[in-house]
Amino acid sequence: MCRTLATFPTTCLERAKEFKTRLGIFLHKSELGSDSGSFGKFEWGSKHSKDNRSFSEDVLGWRESFDTLLSSKNGVAAFHAFLKTEFSEENLEFWLACEEFKKIRSAAKLASRAHRIFDEFIRSEAPKEVNIDHETRELTRANLQAATAACFDAAQGKTHTLMEKDSYPRFLKSPAYQHLVAQASAAASSASSCSPAEPSHT
């Protein structure tokens, strides 16, 4: 247990623990989707939440901007579950695949992975075909002739914009996220009220 938590009254620690437990249950039974496994990657590990305040701020931070949501492992998991209810999870999965693709340093692996991503998300009738225009699709196809880390940039940008302007606002308004916000706000207030008093120097 970190020192900050060690100084909290036991009742406050119990409230923090209860929030995390309720959040986990909610994520598996949420109206975000019937597939309980969709939240499998949504975990409140110690490296993500050292105390009640940090993990509640993570949830509340998702509404600041779409990029803030994407920068949160938990946020991505929750957003992915929401997209599954709209049958549009392929957009996020493609965006994430592109992010991983950019980290590849081997030219051979880059070319191989580029073709797999194209076949899975870009080509017509692909199993997880993303919603992009014909021009962008053909540009991406041409880029595969000499695959580089940037060959999916145009298509990735299109899906990012689509999610940011379309799916993201609906996610923020969804009952499931609003429920999370309510719980996170309560947890933040609890952490604030339970903060140990400053030691007296008199």
Side-chain angles (χ1 to χ4, degrees):
M1 181 179 294
C2 66
R3 292 181 180 178
T4 302
L5 278 178
T7 59
F8 281 176
T10 303
T11 53
C12 295
L13 295 179
E14 289 300 321
R15 263 185 274 176
K17 183 178 179 180
E18 179 186 2
F19 173 75
K20 292 173 71 176
T21 300
R22 290 176 61 193
L23 181 59
I25 293 173
F26 168 74
L27 291 174
H28 285 282
K29 297 183 178 180
S30 171
E31 61 268 37
L32 277 175
S34 57
D35 179 9
S36 61
S38 62
F39 282 103
K41 296 181 180 179
F42 198 111
E43 300 173 351
W44 295 104
S46 58
K47 65 180 179 179
H48 296 296
S49 53
K50 293 183 178 179
D51 55 41
N52 202 24
R53 182 185 300 277
S54 63
F55 63 73
S56 61
E57 286 182 346
D58 187 27
V59 171
L60 297 174
W62 303 343
R63 58 190 177 185
E64 293 178 2
S65 72
F66 184 49
D67 287 329
T68 299
L69 172 70
L70 292 178
S71 68
S72 165
K73 176 183 176 180
N74 295 322
V76 167
F79 186 53
H80 182 256
F82 171 76
L83 292 178
K84 291 185 74 170
T85 69
E86 297 196 333
F87 305 99
S88 60
E89 68 271 18
E90 69 279 353
N91 292 319
L92 179 60
E93 290 175 5
F94 170 65
W95 187 90
L96 292 171
C98 289
E99 290 298 290
E100 290 300 312
F101 174 76
K102 294 174 184 177
K103 299 176 183 178
I104 298 175
R105 293 292 174 261
S106 166
K109 289 182 179 179
L110 198 72
S112 174
R113 181 57 180 157
H115 281 85
R116 288 205 302 271
I117 292 176
F118 185 88
D119 287 340
E120 184 175 7
F121 297 101
I122 303 297
R123 68 174 174 80
S124 297
E125 304 303 323
K128 296 183 179 180
E129 184 179 355
V130 294
N131 185 15
I132 57 176
D133 57 88
H134 177 73
E135 182 180 350
T136 302
R137 192 185 313 279
E138 291 309 306
L139 172 62
T140 305
R141 186 193 303 277
N143 288 342
L144 293 186
Q145 302 304 314
T148 68
C151 68
F152 291 108
D153 281 2
Q156 186 184 20
K158 294 282 187 179
T159 56
H160 181 283
T161 299
L162 178 64
M163 290 188 293
E164 183 177 29
K165 303 300 183 184
D166 188 37
S167 304
Y168 175 59
R170 289 200 300 276
F171 168 73
L172 296 182
K173 295 177 182 178
S174 67
Y177 179 63
Q178 290 301 313
H179 185 69
L180 276 180
V181 167
Q183 287 191 318
S185 297
S189 298
S190 175
S192 177
S193 64
C194 291
S195 297
E198 290 292 330
S200 174
H201 297 286
T202 56

